[in-house]
Amino acid sequence: MEMGYFESMTTEARNLDDLESAVLDLPGNDRSRIAKRILTSLEDDAGTEVSEAWKAEIGRRVEAMNDGSPGVGHEAATERARAAVAEVRDRKAS
């Protein structure tokens, strides 16, 4: 008999709970090693997303340049960059 979607999800959740419990029962150095590997895999995924976002942005910029769009002036770009840096500093200070 084939398992339905919801039954499968319940089984997966149980398996995930079992896995989580097993990992949490490990000694600290083993948990740390697993955590580092998981975080690295997430960073790799994020890097791919960022890379795709940059490719899209580069495409938009090239298209705008080819269309003769004026783009952003030096002063406006500098002000945007300063505002972004100030925002990050404010968040870190909070």
Side-chain angles (χ1 to χ4, degrees):
M1 178 173 155
E2 188 173 319
M3 229 189 284
Y5 175 77
F6 292 107
E7 291 84 5
S8 173
M9 290 301 292
T10 302
T11 301
E12 289 176 19
R14 246 191 330 259
N15 289 341
L16 183 58
D17 288 342
D18 292 343
L19 176 61
E20 184 179 312
S21 292
V23 168
L24 291 174
D25 287 340
L26 292 171
N29 61 334
D30 291 339
R31 289 193 320 268
S32 177
R33 191 177 99 218
I34 290 171
K36 286 177 187 173
R37 291 189 65 188
I38 291 170
L39 289 172
T40 299
S41 75
L42 293 172
E43 289 168 359
D44 291 345
D45 290 347
T48 300
E49 292 173 18
V50 169
S51 176
E52 291 303 316
W54 270 113
K55 286 179 187 176
E57 178 63 21
I58 290 167
R60 282 191 294 276
R61 291 180 185 193
V62 168
E63 187 175 320
M65 185 180 68
N66 288 338
D67 290 344
S69 296
V72 176
H74 175 267
E75 292 81 15
T78 301
E79 183 56 36
R80 284 184 191 176
R82 286 186 176 138
V85 169
E87 184 180 329
V88 170
R89 284 184 180 152
D90 289 346
R91 272 191 261 142
K92 285 184 177 183
S94 301

